[in-house]
Amino acid sequence: MFAVLPIIALIVFWLIFWNRDPDWRSALLSAAVVWGILITAFTEILSLVKFLTFGTVLAAWGLTIVISGFIYYRLIREGKREFKGLKIFQLTPVPAILLGSIVFIVAVVGLISIVSPPNNWDSMTYHMPRVVHWIQNHSVAHYPTYDSAQLVHPPFAEFAIMHLQILSDGDRLANLVQWLAMAGSIIGVSLIAKQLDADRYGQILAAVFCTTIPMGILQASSTQNDYVVAFWLVCLAHYVLSTLPYKKPPTFLVFAIGACLGLAILTKSSGYIFAFPFMVWLFCWYVNRLRWRLWQPFCIVTGTFLLLNLGHYLRNVDLYGSPIATVDYTDDYKIEVYSLQTWISNIIRNLSLHVDIVRYLHLQSFITPITGKVEKIISIIHGFLGVDINDPRTTFPANSYRVPGLSFDENVAGNPLHFFLLLTSLIGFWLKGELRKNKKVISYLLTLIGGFLLLCFMLKIQPYHSRHHLTLFVLFSAFVGLVFSKIANRYIVTALAVILIVTSLPFVFENKFRPIAAEKNIFNTPRSELYFTNRPYIAASYLGAIDFLKTTNCTNIGFSLGGEAIPSHLDWEYPFWALLQENKEQNLRFQHILHPDNTSSRFLQESPYKDFTACAIIATRSSKQEPVKQVVVNGTAYITKWSSEPTSILMKQ
C-alpha cells in the first residue's frame, strides 16, 4: 500500500509540469527527472546518518506529496494550471488499435513483473543482494562482500528498487522499476519522433518499434538496469533536441540535461558511452552561438552530473582508488588492443548478434536460417583483416563468440526484425533528399551511430552485448518512425506496425525465465521455485538448506560464497535472503565471511561488522571445488551439519 506513494508523487509532478510543457509527454519526462533526483537525494542524505528505514522513507515521500500537492493547488488557484484530459491524437480506428496493442503488451509485461519474483542471474548475485544489504545496514555505504559488483557498479536502479522494497516490505514490486522505464521510453521516443518532425503515424510507429523490441520486452519484467539507463538517455535526447531552437538555452533545460546525464551514468556505466556523443553534439551546436559564455551551461551540466554521482564516486574511491571500476572488471571488459582491424572486427561481430531474421519470422520451414552462413562470411572477413575471430584481447569470455540464433533469454536475445527495419530506414534516409538536408535529423543519427562505434571501440564483445544494444534500439525507434513516415504512405506504416506487434507476442508470452504460456508458468509455480527458474538444478539444495536453517532458530547467518578472494560470480546469494525472511517476526542478520585478500574485507574491522558472530554459515562451492567441511572465523570453528551440492550449512563445533 505505502509503495504507491512514490508513484503518486510522480503523478503530481507530472500535473505540475503539464502546463509548462504543452505536450503531456514532455511534462511526464520532466516529472520523471525530478523523481529520479529525489530518489537519489533521499537515499544519499538518509544514508549519511544510517537512517534508511521504513519510517524515514515513508516520511520523505509523504512530505513530498504534501508539498508538491500544495504547489499544484496554488497553481490551480492562481489560474496557472487546469486539469485536462489526455489528447494523444484525434484517433481514428487504426491508430486507436495500434495504441491499444501497445497498452496491451505493456500491461501484460507489467503483470509478469508483479507476479514473478526477480530471478535472473545478475539479480541473484548483485542487483538484489545489494538492495537487501542496504536495507539491513540502513545505509548504502560499502560493506564486506564477496562480490565487488554489489559495490562498484552504478546503483540508481537499485536505489529505486530499495524504496519500493522498503515501503512494500518485500520484492513483489522490484521488477516494476524496469517496467516503468519501458513505459517511459515508449512515450519518450514518440515525443522525440515528433521533435524530429515525424507525423502522427511516424510517432505511433516509433512507439510500436520501441514497445516490440524483443530484448526490451524480456528485460522489462526483470531487475536488470538496461532499460532504466535507456530511459534516462531518451530523456537526455529529448532535452538536447529541446535546447536547439534557442540561441541561449534556458537554465531549466540545461539543468535537465545535466540531471539526465547524471542519472544515466548513475544507473549503468554504458551511460558514459552513449551519452558522450550527445554532449559532443550539444557542445558543437552551441560553441559558435555562446562562445566564451559556454562556460555557464557547461558548469551547470557538469555540476549537476557530479552532484548526483558524488556519493557513489566517493565510496568507490575510498575502497578501490577509482570512482568507476575495479581491476577485475577492467580486465574483463576493456579492449586490450586498439587498431582499425580490431575495431572493424568488433563492429561486425556486434551487428551479427541480430541477424536471425528467418527464425524470428518463423520461416525456417521454407528458408534455411542464415546464421551459419553469416558466421562463415564473418570468419572469411576476419581472415582478410588478419584478426582472430575469438581474439581474447577483444572477446570475453574466451572463445565465446558465435552468431546467435533466436533466443527468449533476456541476457542474449537479438532483435532481427528491428535490425532489418533499422537498416532499411538508413537506406530510406539516404535516398530521401528532404531528410538528408535536415541538420537536426543528421545530428541525431550521427550521435546514435557514434555511440555504437564508441561501444565497439571500447568494450570487448560478449554474448550478452545485445543488452547494451537495447539503448540504441530504443533511441533509433524515433529515427525509424520518422523515416518511414516520410518515405512510405500510412498503409505501409500501419502494416509494418502490425507485423512488429504480431511477431513480438511470443516474447511477451514465452519469456524463458518468466513464461505465462508454458505448461509450467509463473501462475502455477510456487514463488519459492520461481527464484530458481534460471538454475533449477540448485533449487533442491537451496530450499533444503533454508528448511534446515528454519529449524535452528539461528538469527546471525554468515555467507561463504566461493573460496577465492574474488569468486567467479557463480554463487547466488539473494534467494537465501528472500526465503529465510518470509517469517517477518524473526530479525535475521546476514554477513559475508570473506577471504582475507578480498578488498572489502577491511570493513570487517569496523562496526557493526566486527561485532557480528555467526551462529550458522551458508557455504556454496562449485562442482569443481571441494565441499566445505570446516570454516574457522576469528578463532571459532564451524563444521558441516547439513550438505547437498552445492550448499553446506556449518555451525559451531
Side-chain angles (χ1 to χ4, degrees), residues 256-269:
I257 287 171
C260 294
L261 175 65
L263 290 168
I265 288 172
L266 189 62
T267 300
K268 194 175 181 72
S269 296

Side-chain angles (χ1 to χ4, degrees), residues 28-319:
L28 187 59
L29 297 189
S30 298
V33 172
V34 173
W35 193 73
I37 292 171
L38 286 179
I39 285 177
T40 305
F42 290 158
T43 301
E44 294 288 2
I45 292 170
L46 293 174
S47 177
L48 284 175
V49 290
K50 296 189 175 182
F51 222 48
L52 269 172
T53 64
F54 172 78
T56 55
V57 172
L58 178 66
W61 286 109
L63 187 61
T64 298
I65 292 171
V66 170
I67 294 173
S68 58
F70 178 73
I71 292 172
Y72 184 59
Y73 170 75
R74 289 295 301 270
L75 290 171
I76 292 177
R77 285 287 302 270
E78 295 170 6
K80 297 179 180 179
R81 296 290 185 276
E82 60 175 331
F83 186 80
K84 48 191 177 182
L86 291 181
K87 294 182 180 179
I88 300 176
F89 299 109
Q90 295 298 321
L91 291 178
T92 55
V94 172
I97 292 171
L98 294 178
L99 292 176
S101 299
I102 291 174
V103 172
F104 172 76
I105 291 173
V106 173
V108 174
V109 173
L111 177 64
I112 296 170
S113 70
I114 293 173
V115 173
S116 175
N119 64 5
N120 64 52
W121 198 290
D122 285 351
S123 295
M124 299 296 99
T125 58
Y126 87 89
H127 288 302
M128 294 304 295
R130 72 195 314 197
V131 169
V132 286
H133 275 287
W134 293 339
I135 294 173
Q136 175 180 271
N137 299 339
H138 307 309
S139 168
V140 295
H142 286 351
Y143 52 86
T145 173
Y146 80 102
D147 190 349
S148 59
Q150 295 180 15
L151 308 180
V152 73
H153 286 332
F156 175 81
E158 292 86 353
F159 282 180
I161 292 171
M162 177 180 63
H163 280 248
L164 294 178
Q165 191 136 335
I166 288 174
L167 293 174
S168 65
D169 194 25
D171 61 15
R172 287 194 174 272
L173 303 181
N175 296 323
L176 280 183
V177 174
Q178 280 264 101
W179 178 80
L180 288 170
M182 177 195 190
S185 297
I186 294 166
I187 294 168
V189 297
S190 71
L191 178 60
I192 293 173
K194 178 184 178 182
Q195 292 178 285
L196 295 175
D197 303 323
D199 61 20
R200 66 173 183 172
Y201 275 91
Q203 294 172 51
I204 292 174
L205 180 60
V208 170
F209 188 96
C210 182
T211 303
T212 56
I213 298 169
M215 175 60 78
I217 291 173
L218 297 172
Q219 268 212 36
S221 58
S222 77
T223 55
Q224 297 277 38
N225 53 16
D226 299 277
Y227 229 136
V228 181
V229 71
F231 172 69
W232 294 128
L233 289 164
V234 166
C235 293
L236 177 64
H238 162 63
Y239 288 117
V240 168
L241 287 165
S242 298
T243 64
L244 300 185
Y246 296 95
K247 290 185 177 180
K248 181 181 179 182
T251 301
F252 169 77
L253 290 178
V254 175
F255 174 77
I257 287 171
C260 294
L261 175 65
L263 290 168
I265 288 172
L266 189 62
T267 300
K268 194 175 181 72
S269 296
S270 61
Y272 290 100
I273 295 173
F274 297 129
F276 179 74
F278 281 102
M279 294 298 100
V280 172
W281 177 16
L282 195 65
F283 176 82
C284 293
W285 189 273
Y286 278 108
V287 69
N288 289 325
R289 296 187 179 192
L290 297 178
R291 297 188 183 277
W292 64 271
R293 291 177 299 166
L294 189 63
W295 70 269
Q296 293 175 318
F298 175 82
C299 288
I300 294 173
V301 170
T302 305
T304 306
F305 147 68
L306 286 175
L307 192 60
L308 286 168
N309 285 271
L310 185 62
H312 183 60
Y313 282 170
L314 291 177
R315 290 188 289 271
N316 277 349
V317 168
D318 176 59
L319 183 59

Side-chain angles (χ1 to χ4, degrees), residues 422-633:
L422 197 162
L423 293 179
T424 305
S425 68
L426 290 173
I427 296 171
F429 168 80
W430 180 256
L431 296 176
K432 189 72 172 178
E434 173 190 345
L435 293 173
R436 292 203 313 271
K437 296 175 183 177
N438 189 323
K439 292 183 179 179
K440 181 169 57 177
V441 175
I442 293 172
S443 299
Y444 184 79
L445 175 60
L446 291 178
T447 297
L448 300 188
I449 293 174
F452 173 70
L453 295 178
L454 194 58
L455 176 79
C456 297
F457 183 72
M458 295 187 66
L459 299 184
K460 294 178 179 178
I461 183 73
Q462 297 182 21
Y464 321 109
H465 252 202
S466 55
R467 285 171 45 189
H468 294 314
H469 297 171
L470 175 62
T471 294
L472 292 169
F473 278 97
V474 168
L475 289 168
F476 262 114
S477 301
F479 177 79
V480 172
L482 167 71
V483 172
F484 277 102
S485 71
K486 299 296 185 183
I487 67 172
N489 61 43
R490 63 180 184 176
Y491 300 107
I492 294 176
V493 171
T494 300
L496 288 175
V498 170
I499 291 170
L500 284 168
I501 290 167
V502 171
T503 56
S504 73
L505 293 180
F507 296 93
V508 175
F509 295 105
E510 299 174 26
N511 188 313
K512 183 176 180 180
F513 303 125
R514 292 175 294 281
I516 60 177
E519 182 178 347
K520 186 175 182 181
N521 57 64
I522 61 174
F523 298 110
N524 61 18
T525 304
R527 189 173 178 86
S528 59
E529 291 184 27
L530 289 174
Y531 286 104
F532 303 97
T533 306
N534 206 313
R535 297 177 73 190
Y537 48 90
I538 68 169
S541 174
Y542 271 56
L543 294 173
I546 289 164
D547 289 340
F548 175 80
L549 282 170
K550 287 179 177 178
T551 66
T552 65
N553 294 318
C554 175
T555 56
N556 280 6
I557 300 172
F559 286 127
S560 176
L561 307 179
E564 312 93 334
I566 304 176
S568 56
H569 313 293
L570 295 177
D571 298 281
W572 284 17
E573 176 181 348
Y574 182 68
F576 291 119
W577 288 82
L579 297 174
L580 281 169
Q581 290 185 321
E582 288 178 332
N583 181 2
K584 304 298 182 182
E585 296 180 1
Q586 273 193 309
N587 185 22
L588 301 180
R589 184 167 184 84
F590 300 88
Q591 185 166 304
H592 287 258
I593 309 299
L594 297 180
H595 190 288
D597 293 335
N598 186 291
T599 306
S600 67
S601 64
R602 75 170 226 203
F603 294 121
L604 294 174
Q605 310 306 316
E606 303 173 5
S607 293
Y609 311 110
K610 67 178 182 180
D611 303 319
F612 178 86
T613 301
C615 52
I617 295 174
I618 300 173
T620 60
R621 297 293 186 269
S622 72
S623 58
K624 298 178 181 179
Q625 297 173 308
E626 289 292 325
V628 181
K629 296 181 179 180
Q630 178 174 302
V631 173
V632 178
V633 182

